[in-house]
Amino acid sequence: MLDLSKRKEMLGAMLKVRAFEEKLNELYQNKVMFGSPHSYRGQEAIAVGVCSALVPKDLIASYHRGTGHLVAKGADLYRLLCECIGRLDGYSKGRGGKMHMGDLSFGFLGNTGTVGATVPFATGAALAAKIRGSREVAVSFMGDGAMNQGVVHEAMNFAGLWKLPVIYVIENNLYAMTVSLEKSVAVKHLAERAAGYGFEGKVIDGNDVELVYHETLKAADKARGGEGATLLECLTYRWDGHFGGDPGTGYRAREEIDRWKERCPIRRFKEKLIAEGNLSEAEFEKISGSVYAELEEVSAKAQASPLPPKEVEIESVFAEPELDSANLRASPSGRGQ
Amino acid sequence: MFDKTMEAVALSGTVKEMRIQEALRETLRYEMARDQRVFVMGEDVALFGGAYGVTRGLLQEFGAERVRDTPISEAALVGLAVGAAINGMRPVVEIQFCDLLPLCMDQLVTHAARYHYMTGGRISVPIVIRNKFGTRPGGGPSHSSCNHGAFIPFPGLKIIVPATPADAKGLLLSAIRDPNPVLCFESHHLYGVKGPVPDGDYTVPIGLASVRREGKDLTIVTCGGMVLKVDEAAERLKEKGIAAEIIDLRSLAPLDKETILKSVAKTKRAIIVDEGPIVGGLTAELAATIQENLFSDLKAPVIRVGAAFIPPPHSGPLVEAMVPNVERIETSALRLVGGK
């Protein structure tokens, strides 16, 4: 059993992930945010469960619906929000937006816009750890849609073959944009595919933050012990549409959405803690209040921050050698050989 | 010899005569011994020593952790290299034929090449992708391409095309040490070419062309395996009293416009010779660059001599018809200097 302070931390982290998503949506509606949000509401238990089980030097690779992972892994909310709204103080100086970032200072390998593209990046980061004999674990987050991309299978084959310290976390929210899982794959569970690569695949309740935490911890211990990869298929649901302009209802039944909202990961965890006598409504309100207040503060600051100058910086397309060594200095396991 | 590389060779002391694939192998060995972060992976690179023998012996010397035979998975191979590079390593990947690069296109050009810019400079991707190019009989449509020019329009990628053993070493060493993704195109026609290679820490900067031969009457810009044909054409022109200056590009990205323009400003006539297709790509880029900058100085329009716009065929005569030959280069040159 996890100690209570860690559990409360995880509850707060889920609230923070949700508050961030809601703020993004608001900024999109108010036309402050460029591009479109890809809401993570409803899936908070996965980002928080996984990232809470990692140590700071562990690495994650993310995807379209990635803001939740970054908040959970410890991104600076101001920089993150600045990037989402195209500001100079953003992680990518406004060049990447929410889908194209990366920062090794908090173990974030990056996310990018082709479905499944970062799966080999996490796999390669795990390969680096294996060659060096350092002990970081790499996590590859992906949606269920990514499981039909060739490069994902190629990468998983490498991981199985070389027993790489990587965890593949599939956030199975039942839809790839608007197309349902049953119209996309012939197998019942995506986790079955792990057998084809020689490692364990598990289907778990992705709305149970403690379960996600424990399963990640087991997989991470296994990876660190040289026993290779694990695939965790986390069953969940995205409450909102795929992107900002999608109400999410044209291809999903209202009853289905309502049924999943009943299984809200935050409410479930809160009620569990209350039933155990470990949390009061008042305490929950206090945690929630401070999280939302923090987001308001960050949002105001980000909206007042500068836009990038209208400038084509050709020289910044290529890294200079000294930036490469900066890359190494920032590397989470502190190897600088 | 007016090659800048050769001048550097003369200054640096010990020089060994070797073939290009030996020079490449020496470079990998040298840098793997010097830098623990460097490792090699690709199809058949370990036990077999590479489809063209470049990685022969590395497995025995550096072990299976750092010299890795891989499944046939080009896209993931590049993707894994990206992840390993971000996490502090210096992977050198071999993709056996450049025809297979389109399999890795998304990983390479949409992500690896853009990572540095798109992360606001926070992450760099120091990977090298070695591959063989060159159209030859028997290669056919999927093992005989010259798509080196197709990668020029992707910002963030560096491209090297060594044509001498010394450049093979100097450029590959620079590529491994470069913090950016570098594509290394090794010409099928040149693997067996011998030449002097300096010992030790010898690098050629990426983005610097070399003047392979000096001349006053016209400039021939080329790269890769075509340098041999251009050399031969230049000899024939010399017999006719025409002095051709030959520029070996060595790098396609960044492109050394300065050296090219300086030469054409002097000779006032230019031919671009490339083994890749004449449509779009390298020859078009160079011709446009020259006329944009030197239009009023030119005594004749820039001529492009490239491969016919067909897929690489299998049979010998068909390949001969497709790829630029010495006669075509010579004829073009004579046409160009006709009014001299």
Side-chain angles (χ1 to χ4, degrees):
Chain A
M1 175 73 97
L2 276 167
D3 73 54
L4 188 58
S5 66
K6 176 94 176 175
R7 295 170 86 202
K8 284 184 180 169
E9 224 174 80
M10 282 160 62
L11 181 67
M14 284 201 287
L15 281 162
K16 197 185 268 192
V17 168
R18 177 161 300 178
F20 192 88
E21 297 305 298
E22 289 172 355
K23 180 53 72 181
L24 272 193
N25 189 52
E26 178 197 314
L27 294 174
Y28 174 70
Q29 300 299 339
N30 296 342
K31 301 193 188 325
V32 176
M33 181 174 161
F34 296 74
S36 168
H38 294 89
S39 171
Y40 197 72
R41 285 206 311 163
Q43 305 184 194
E44 295 90 348
I46 304 172
V48 172
V50 169
C51 293
S52 301
L54 302 177
V55 298
K57 72 167 188 171
D58 290 333
L59 298 151
I60 65 165
S62 178
Y63 67 107
H64 281 69
R65 205 172 305 291
T67 35
H69 310 139
L70 309 194
V71 172
K73 188 72 167 76
D76 179 277
L77 294 187
Y78 170 70
R79 301 201 100 141
L80 184 57
L81 195 57
C82 277
E83 191 55 41
C84 293
I85 63 173
R87 305 295 168 129
L88 190 60
D89 287 348
Y91 273 110
S92 298
K93 301 182 185 175
R95 297 171 188 164
K98 58 174 270 301
M99 252 192 279
H100 311 89
M101 287 181 268
D103 192 304
L104 291 169
S105 67
F106 65 100
F108 175 39
L109 288 162
N111 58 341
T112 182
T114 312
V115 172
T118 59
V119 175
F121 300 170
T123 313
L127 172 62
K130 181 172 185 294
I131 293 175
R132 262 194 314 256
S134 50
R135 285 168 56 81
E136 67 269 22
V137 169
V139 171
S140 173
F141 286 105
M142 74 192 95
D144 42 291
M147 281 297 277
N148 299 319
Q149 285 279 28
V151 76
V152 171
H153 297 278
E154 292 185 25
M156 287 185 179
N157 184 48
F158 272 98
L161 188 68
W162 289 345
K163 286 203 176 304
L164 300 179
V166 58
I167 307 171
Y168 299 106
V169 176
I170 303 172
E171 306 190 341
N172 182 357
N173 61 23
L174 305 175
Y175 292 85
M177 199 161 158
T178 67
V179 177
S180 69
L181 187 68
E182 58 191 20
K183 287 180 187 165
S184 309
V185 298
V187 290
K188 185 153 185 272
H189 296 294
L190 294 167
E192 293 169 31
R193 291 181 174 175
Y197 308 113
F199 51 80
E200 189 184 9
K202 274 189 190 174
V203 186
I204 64 169
D205 181 348
N207 280 16
D208 179 342
V209 69
E210 289 187 288
L211 179 65
V212 175
Y213 172 90
H214 287 297
E215 290 297 336
T216 306
L217 202 60
K218 269 194 255 174
D221 284 346
K222 209 169 88 179
R224 271 186 251 280
E227 291 171 68
T230 304
L231 186 157
L232 295 177
E233 179 183 354
C234 303
L235 299 178
T236 189
Y237 200 75
R238 77 171 134 81
W239 287 9
D240 304 298
H242 168 70
F243 63 101
D246 166 24
T249 48
Y251 49 93
R252 306 189 301 186
R254 172 55 65 190
E255 304 76 60
E256 181 182 289
I257 299 170
D258 290 343
R259 200 166 61 243
W260 276 95
K261 281 191 172 176
E262 284 300 307
R263 306 183 59 209
C264 170
I266 296 176
R267 198 172 74 195
R268 275 173 71 182
F269 194 39
K270 169 195 158 192
E271 284 172 359
K272 186 178 176 186
L273 290 172
I274 288 176
E276 290 168 357
N278 282 319
L279 184 79
S280 65
E281 275 292 347
E283 197 183 351
F284 177 79
E285 290 308 322
K286 198 176 151 209
I287 298 170
S288 176
S290 78
V291 163
Y292 278 87
E294 185 189 357
L295 252 300
E296 283 310 315
E297 206 178 296
V298 168
S299 170
K301 194 178 158 204
Q303 288 183 71
S305 72
L307 282 160
K310 193 173 172 181
E311 188 175 20
V312 175
E313 292 175 88
I314 287 175
E315 64 279 4
S316 63
V317 170
F318 287 117
E320 296 299 327
E322 59 271 24
L323 286 170
D324 177 51
S325 51
N327 206 4
L328 282 177
R329 271 200 302 281
S331 92
S333 39
R335 316 147 305 265
Q337 75 269 51
Chain B
M1 282 291 184
F2 298 100
D3 191 334
K4 286 177 193 168
T5 308
M6 292 303 125
E7 287 167 26
V9 172
L11 292 173
S12 73
T14 327
V15 166
K16 267 191 214 135
E17 202 52 38
M18 57 178 86
R19 295 179 205 285
I20 281 189
Q21 71 264 65
E22 293 171 300
L24 294 166
R25 189 189 310 137
E26 272 311 302
T27 308
L28 290 171
R29 180 181 287 141
Y30 179 85
E31 197 62 358
M32 286 180 84
R34 197 192 69 89
D35 184 348
Q36 294 298 306
R37 299 172 300 169
V38 180
F39 72 101
V40 169
M41 61 176 172
E43 294 154 19
D44 313 297
V45 297
L47 204 55
F48 187 59
Y52 295 90
V54 170
T55 54
R56 204 171 288 151
L58 297 181
L59 172 68
Q60 291 72 14
E61 195 170 341
F62 297 101
E65 279 293 322
R66 290 176 72 198
V67 185
R68 295 178 163 256
D69 273 333
T70 69
I72 298 177
S73 288
E74 284 83 5
L77 200 44
V78 173
L80 259 72
V82 172
I86 295 172
N87 196 13
M89 301 298 280
R90 291 292 179 114
V92 180
V93 169
E94 179 172 308
I95 300 289
Q96 293 182 343
F97 303 89
C98 77
D99 310 67
L100 309 176
L101 286 177
L103 286 162
C104 344
M105 207 68 176
D106 176 64
Q107 293 288 307
L108 192 59
V109 307
T110 311
H111 312 300
R114 294 176 185 175
Y115 237 77
H116 181 72
Y117 181 85
M118 85 179 201
T119 60
R122 282 189 151 70
I123 288 180
S124 63
V125 181
I127 60 173
V128 177
I129 314 230
R130 298 182 33 248
N131 64 95
K132 189 226 70 160
F133 77 123
T135 308
R136 68 206 153 88
S142 70
H143 289 74
S144 192
S145 291
C146 288
N147 59 17
H148 50 294
F151 295 88
I152 295 172
F154 294 103
L157 268 190
K158 294 191 177 182
I159 306 169
I160 55 172
V161 188
T164 67
D167 283 352
K169 172 170 181 173
L171 287 167
L172 182 60
L173 202 54
S174 292
I176 300 172
R177 293 175 185 177
D178 197 287
N180 299 286
V182 184
L183 274 173
C184 175
F185 283 89
E186 298 162 9
S187 169
H188 179 86
H189 312 298
L190 298 173
Y191 272 136
V193 168
K194 268 196 165 182
V197 177
D199 264 352
D201 222 274
Y202 173 73
T203 57
V204 170
I206 297 175
L208 187 67
S210 77
V211 180
R212 196 174 163 91
R213 174 196 288 252
E214 282 192 1
K216 59 176 175 36
D217 296 325
L218 78 156
T219 299
I220 307 180
V221 184
T222 190
C223 70
M226 285 295 105
V227 296
L228 297 178
K229 292 185 179 177
V230 169
D231 279 345
E232 204 182 322
E235 280 301 315
R236 292 192 192 180
L237 290 167
K238 192 176 156 193
E239 286 165 20
K240 295 188 164 76
I242 298 161
E245 180 146 303
I246 303 175
I247 309 260
D248 173 6
L249 289 167
R250 301 200 289 195
S251 301
L252 306 187
L255 201 52
D256 182 1
K257 291 181 180 172
E258 200 184 318
T259 297
I260 299 160
L261 294 176
K262 198 175 143 202
S263 172
V264 180
K266 179 179 82 176
T267 63
K268 301 184 170 38
R269 294 177 175 90
I271 302 179
I272 323 293
V273 179
D274 187 41
E275 200 176 345
I278 199 163
V279 177
L282 179 62
T283 61
E285 178 64 23
L286 290 171
T289 299
I290 292 169
Q291 72 85 16
E292 256 176 8
N293 287 280
L294 297 170
F295 184 73
S296 54
D297 297 320
L298 289 174
K299 290 193 173 160
V302 176
I303 294 179
R304 294 190 283 159
V305 180
F309 198 47
I310 56 173
H314 166 76
S315 183
L318 297 175
V319 171
E320 279 177 39
M322 178 195 188
V323 176
N325 59 25
V326 178
E327 287 69 31
R328 269 174 67 199
I329 301 164
E330 189 192 0
T331 310
S332 302
L334 291 172
R335 180 151 60 92
L336 197 62
V337 297
K340 186 171 86 105

